Amino acid sequence: MGRRKAGEKKKAERQKGAGTLEKRGKIFSVRSFGSIAADYESILAGAAAAAKDDVVILKAETMALTEGGTFAVPCKVWGGYAGDPTDPLAKADGAKTVLDGGGTVPTLVTLSANTSYLDDNEVRDIVFTDAKLHGFVKSGATGLLMENCDFIRNGLADTGYTDGRGAQIAGSSATVATLRNCTFRFNMATNNVAQFGNGVGLNAGTFKRVELENCSFVGNGLAPWLKGGDTQKVLFGAALYSLAPVIASGCEFRVNHAPERNDKRGGAVCLAGGTGHVFSNCTFKSMQGQYDTIGISSDGIITDCKFNT
């Protein structure tokens, strides 16, 4: 009985905020609920049609993108759905939607609500992979909640611009970014003459704070076959760079690569702004090429963390 009630509660939570559902006569790839219930053939079209507070759901499939999708208003983008037109919110546990840029699409998804919005965006159960520059970008003043998202092998372009190849996010001093159960793997700076780089895995700009819960950063940074260069060819925080206070718990940082000369700004993590950083129960292992594992420009607390274990 307990499991049944829990399942019913979970289904009700999925349906909350979806508005009036319009059943369609076909399997969908992208569906929008809210102001308009409709099916779309691509994330580009679904993003263009989304209105404020809409819920856009993506079928659990691999979408080979030729263009990215840009959402200009706060909304929810949820992946991993079964694509059943008679039960649009049917979803298997652990299912995700894969957005594949094929090495040619500059950015797979962009959330770019203007500064008049302070609402939260939600992004869940999506894999961002093989983008030319960035897997995911968020600009504007809005907050952000990301859950169960993966950022894999983004940044395939041979360019000196290396910030936030996995994800590049920014909000405002009044909004919060929360990333929960997300992974950043093998997001790379592949050009040996890069002039600078900040957070190849995750680059966070202005926020009230950035919260990381049970996130994993593995193999991000300068491609391991490159050795880095002189003091002008630096990489600040191969895995994570933040201008905002960071509260991280239960996170893993392994084998993130920074150049041998990085001005002691943190081989894995560079905290370049904000105060009151806290890292608890985190693991740092096998960082390569760095002077310091964590570089902090202000005060911070590191508690119950493990290094090179």
Side-chain angles (χ1 to χ4, degrees), residues 59-219:
K59 185 179 176 182
E61 62 184 3
T62 297
M63 299 184 181
L65 304 186
T66 57
E67 294 182 87
T70 298
F71 295 83
V73 291
C75 58
K76 297 175 175 62
V77 187
W78 298 342
Y81 287 83
D84 181 352
T86 64
D87 186 4
L89 295 180
K91 184 180 188 299
D93 287 343
K96 295 183 179 182
T97 299
V98 178
L99 302 181
D100 187 343
T104 61
V105 178
T107 301
L108 305 183
V109 171
T110 301
L111 302 181
S112 61
N114 65 47
T115 56
S116 65
Y117 294 112
L118 293 178
D119 310 61
D120 284 343
N121 298 276
E122 288 185 17
V123 183
R124 298 178 179 172
D125 299 310
I126 298 177
V127 178
F128 303 86
T129 187
D130 288 342
K132 183 178 180 180
L133 291 178
H134 310 283
F136 173 81
V137 170
K138 195 204 83 66
S139 59
T142 55
L144 176 65
L145 170 63
M146 298 195 84
E147 291 186 322
N148 305 317
C149 290
D150 303 315
F151 306 83
I152 302 171
R153 210 171 44 250
N154 297 292
L156 298 180
D158 186 15
T159 173
Y161 183 72
T162 63
D163 289 9
R165 290 298 182 93
Q168 187 172 35
I169 61 176
S172 74
S173 59
T175 54
V176 174
T178 299
L179 284 76
R180 186 176 296 129
N181 300 321
C182 294
T183 65
F184 296 80
R185 290 186 289 153
F186 308 115
N187 300 287
M188 290 289 180
T190 58
N191 188 321
N192 198 35
V193 297
Q195 293 183 350
F196 64 90
N198 297 326
V200 178
L202 171 63
N203 179 290
T206 300
F207 282 103
K208 183 177 181 179
R209 65 181 178 276
V210 174
E211 301 174 350
L212 303 175
E213 302 175 16
N214 300 316
C215 292
S216 176
F217 297 79
V218 178

Side-chain angles (χ1 to χ4, degrees), residues 35-47:
S35 58
I36 300 175
D39 295 338
Y40 299 94
E41 294 181 357
S42 71
I43 192 170
L44 176 68

